[in-house]
Amino acid sequence: MRKRKVTVIGGGFGGLAAAIRLQSSGNEVTLLEKRDRLGGRAYVYEQDGFTFDAGPTVITAPHCLEELFSLSGRKLSDYIELIPVKPLYDLRWEDGFRFNYTQDLDETLEQIRRKSPSDVQGYQEFLKYTEEVFHEGYTKLAHVPFLHWSTMVRVSPQLLKLKAYRSVYSILSTYLKDPQLRQAFSFHSLLVGGNPFETSSIYTLIHFLERKWGVFFPRGGTGALVQALAKLFTELGGEIQTNAEVERLVVEQGRIKAVETRGSGSLSTDAVVSNADVHHTYSKLLQGVPEARTMQRYLDKARYSMSLFVLYFGTNRRFDSASHHSILFGKRYKGLLKDIFKNGKVADDFSLYLHAPTVTDASLAPPGGEAFYVLAPVPHLGKSKMDWKEGGAAYAEKILDYLEARYLPGLKESIVTQRHFTPLDFKSELNAHLGSAFSLEPILRQSAYFRVHNRDPHVEGLYFVGAGTHPGAGVPGVVNSAKATAALMDEDFRVTQVPVSAKPASPMAATLEQSRQSIRVGSRSFALASRLFSKEQREAASLLYSWCRYCDDQVDETTNIRLQETRLERLRKNTQSVFEGHPQTDHQFIALSDLVRRYQIPPLYPMELLAGMEMDVRRDNYWTPEELSLYCYRVAGTVGLMMSHVMGVTDPKALKHACDLGIAMQLTNIARDVLDDFAKHRVYLPLAWLDSVAVPERDVSQERHREAVAEVVSRLLDLADKYYTSGRAGLKYLSPRCAFTVAAAGRIYQAIGTKVRRRGASAWDTRTVVPLWKKLYCIAAAVVDVAKTLPARWGRHRPKPSIPDLIWSHA
């Protein structure tokens, strides 16, 4: 068996860990790094005799680093010394309260007792909870890739038991009552880019992880640890290229073939491991690759973590009041986090993380000096309009004034060197989408299976490590992502040793696989529900969804109306050619042709769907709900009609109910996406209803009209509920298996609408989704829905439809 050539993009902790594992298992690995030295976010600045770690600076779970060396019979301690940091953190508040965050349980309990005696027992119970979360979320799952929905389903009962649907702060509040203690034990999710008020309670495992193993600092700084990993990799025979920015991944017939770098030409490869930003990988490195389009669309709509403003400074004196790690809480907690994560406001007040590594290792500064870095969470570039080029220096001065006034007297006059790193630098230096510091925000619906997979399900030979994939950000997270990914690759490399004479996959097989990828990425809820179909129906659903998504993408991926019209006309001609029996070359139309042949789908339905897309191109508005319902019939009801044919049901009465369910789902989409649609110059809400609450069409997005728009949306959802009721009435025409699938999808969508209504005027602050526990509840409700159809099924005769029965029109 020949050695595989593997290219790793990005020399951060994730990329280095993957490169070491793959080189250790006998592959030929080349690591490409854009910048002049390795490290990624763990870059190092050397300035005026000071050494500044760019970050991260909190090293936990040392065993996952030790394992990288043990793979080749080596020891981490022979390469780098990890020094325990005590206390783990020095927590300080403006009112003078101070908490030494330590591994010592007795000391912790004594501090809690002095602050809030009634919280001592609560903390002990919280510690037991975090231990259980640690064992389930870290020990069992951190290194396990979530490639299939079934993996998520298997762990769902335990996640529900641990209340993973609740936030870190919410679950902590059930154990502790003192506001400052709640802050003390909930800030950890910020270290991986999450808002404690929204991040899943699974991330409380960080508390137990630190208590179990402690917090460490590498002698010489985090950069010295990066150098130790790089040394290990090269000793194993790996190749490192710095100043090698990757510009494009070459994909041929759905498979990675080469990596093109700026200035270095093309490098052929069998596989690529991307430690680059996931959005950058799909939108830039895979630009123009059809197989990547659906993931690009998903990542465009995903939620990203906050960014950071980082200020590095060195002084000509030491500060006795400094601790290695300090968390400096400001006056506000929840309000400040809301400004950062939701409002996009760079607030006048702030909470800070202050790092003084020379407390542990004096060699990082000239004799008698101190090296610092202070970090302030700030909104990412997609939310904030802050001009960091102009405002960065002023913001740095504001932070220094604050530190001098409260914690480090005489600071400013002792500073001899400084520099800062803003969200713009995260974007330009690290290719971070929106300047996000931690990639995808670690909320439940973007975790595990719902995060970017460690192995791309469609582009063969493409894998991921780092903060954007499972399990997430933080040094233990990205190092464990490498463990998961490398294990997948070793398995894939063993399995794919096929004879050269093996026949290539048929066009239909390739079409089906591309369609499966489209539905997995583009609509995960529908992907979950479609698993309940028979194999044939599931494949047909994938093919149909792929064609619909392709048509939608063709129109929506450009804002040029003339180009939209040209593409729409081409879609019409290609669709017509399917029904005329002409051979197809585009895989989406191969799919449509197969569906039409197998299930006798009439031309009316796909042509009506394209007519609905034309309404979008024309920017049509709808004065009455009846006019809007016609639009919804065309773009969504027709999909229900085509799926009815796939499920073997063509009774006109049944088709009417199927169409109504599609309309209900589209109305729910409209209610959820009011502001997103407005940004695309589309207003779907009935203008007569907007007129009744005195909201001009042009002002739908205005903050002052939120309450009135919410009232109109509530009316729209009332209408949707009537259509959902009709949709459920049609379940009796379907087989029990199909009925359950359709009922589950309908219930989940209706739950989205219910949540939009409940959120009221705040419904569009963030995208409305239903948590996993609610989806499971909806599935249970679907069982009841199907059970109610049993009386109608007994003795009911299903006549074989005649040809005229195969067509039903909304008109």
Side-chain angles (χ1 to χ4, degrees), residues 98-111:
R98 193 166 181 174
F99 192 97
N100 276 339
Y101 197 106
T102 173
Q103 274 185 281
D104 189 306
L105 179 58
D106 290 337
E107 183 180 347
T108 299
L109 293 175
E110 178 57 31
Q111 291 184 88

Side-chain angles (χ1 to χ4, degrees), residues 94 330-332 335-337 339-340 344-352 376-379 386 388 391 394-403 406:
E94 291 185 358
K331 294 178 180 178
R332 298 185 302 151
L336 178 61
L337 292 173
D339 280 346
I340 294 169
K345 179 181 178 182
V346 180
D348 292 330
D349 61 330
F350 30 65
S351 291
L352 304 171
V378 294
M386 174 76 167
W388 288 107
Y395 196 67
E397 283 301 302
K398 186 183 296 185
I399 291 175
L400 292 175
D401 288 339
Y402 180 84
L403 290 174
R406 293 189 175 274

Side-chain angles (χ1 to χ4, degrees), residues 111-167:
Q111 291 184 88
I112 294 173
R113 185 176 292 108
R114 290 197 299 266
K115 182 70 167 69
S116 177
S118 62
D119 280 332
V120 171
Q121 182 179 350
Y123 174 76
Q124 291 173 315
E125 294 173 356
F126 172 67
L127 185 58
K128 291 178 182 177
Y129 169 79
T130 62
E131 181 177 9
E132 187 175 358
V133 173
F134 171 83
H135 288 307
E136 294 296 330
Y138 184 86
T139 306
K140 293 183 180 180
L141 303 177
H143 61 284
V144 176
F146 281 72
L147 302 180
H148 307 289
W149 73 272
S150 55
T151 309
M152 196 72 182
V153 170
R154 282 197 297 272
V155 303
S156 293
Q158 190 61 20
L159 293 178
L160 289 172
K161 177 185 175 184
L162 295 173
K163 301 180 181 179
Y165 52 86
R166 298 186 65 172
S167 72

Side-chain angles (χ1 to χ4, degrees), residues 668 671 717 724 748-758 768:
T668 301
L717 291 169
Y724 279 117
I748 291 171
Y749 250 82
Q750 190 172 16
I752 293 173
T754 300
K755 190 171 181 180
V756 169
R757 182 190 284 113
R758 187 173 67 249
T768 300

Side-chain angles (χ1 to χ4, degrees), residues 293-335:
R293 187 176 295 142
T294 49
M295 182 57 82
Q296 291 166 2
R297 184 186 181 101
Y298 167 71
L299 290 173
D300 283 341
K301 294 181 178 180
R303 281 173 53 175
Y304 291 83
S305 82
M306 80 291 195
S307 190
L308 301 172
F309 179 88
V310 190
L311 174 62
Y312 310 90
F313 57 94
T315 65
N316 58 13
R317 53 165 286 199
R318 302 296 296 267
F319 288 82
D320 294 337
S321 59
S323 299
H324 189 118
H325 299 297
S326 297
I327 307 295
L328 311 178
F329 292 98
K331 294 178 180 178
R332 298 185 302 151
Y333 191 56
K334 184 175 183 179

Side-chain angles (χ1 to χ4, degrees), residues 562-577:
R562 181 169 297 179
L563 181 57
Q564 287 178 329
E565 291 172 343
T566 300
R567 289 182 174 183
L568 190 59
E569 183 58 31
R570 187 178 73 246
L571 291 172
R572 284 199 190 94
K573 290 181 179 178
N574 289 347
T575 302
Q576 188 63 42
S577 72

Side-chain angles (χ1 to χ4, degrees), residues 785-799:
D785 291 335
V786 176
K788 290 179 179 178
T789 69
L790 293 178
R793 297 174 184 277
W794 294 332
R796 181 164 60 84
H797 174 64
R798 288 190 191 177

Side-chain angles (χ1 to χ4, degrees), residues 100 194 333 345 417 462 474 482 501 514 516 560 631 799:
N100 276 339
Y333 191 56
K345 179 181 178 182
T417 189
L462 176 61
S501 60
Q514 291 179 353
R516 286 170 177 158
N560 185 307
Y631 165 77

